[in-house]
Amino acid sequence: MPRHKADRTIAALGVVAIAATAAVFSGCGDDTQDQVNQALDDAQQQIEEASQDAQDQAEQIQNDIQDQIDQATGDETTTTTTATTTQAPSDY
């Protein structure tokens, strides 16, 4: 996954955290309290979604790296096997 997507996710989390904090400090009445609670619920949901997205991205990167390792290991084994089988026989 591109790094800029992860950066946007982190920035969005920061904005949500700041907005939630501001909402808590500005609330004084019942309507305001309901709005604050809704804002906090929305922020929590966004954080959970962003966290899941980040986890999915990390797993995809890990799988991609493992695939590359498997391919490199497979290529190395093939090269080693080919080199071993193409050597000239010894004179015994």
Side-chain angles (χ1 to χ4, degrees):
M1 275 292 151
R3 180 168 170 89
H4 69 276
K5 185 172 183 179
D7 291 341
R8 284 192 328 220
T9 301
I10 291 170
L13 288 174
V15 169
V16 168
I18 291 169
T21 303
V24 168
F25 284 115
S26 68
C28 294
D30 289 334
D31 283 341
T32 303
Q33 187 62 40
D34 290 342
Q35 290 173 352
V36 168
N37 288 338
Q38 185 62 47
L40 290 173
D41 289 344
D42 292 346
Q44 182 64 33
Q45 182 177 356
Q46 290 177 2
I47 290 168
E48 289 172 4
E49 290 172 1
S51 176
Q52 185 62 47
D53 288 347
Q55 184 176 354
D56 292 344
Q57 290 175 13
E59 288 174 2
Q60 183 61 46
I61 290 169
Q62 185 178 9
N63 290 338
D64 291 346
I65 291 170
Q66 187 61 50
D67 289 345
Q68 290 175 1
I69 290 171
D70 292 344
Q71 288 176 356
T73 303
D75 290 343
E76 184 177 298
T77 302
T78 302
T79 302
T80 303
T81 303
T82 303
T84 303
T85 57
T86 57
Q87 291 178 351
S90 61
D91 294 329
Y92 284 109

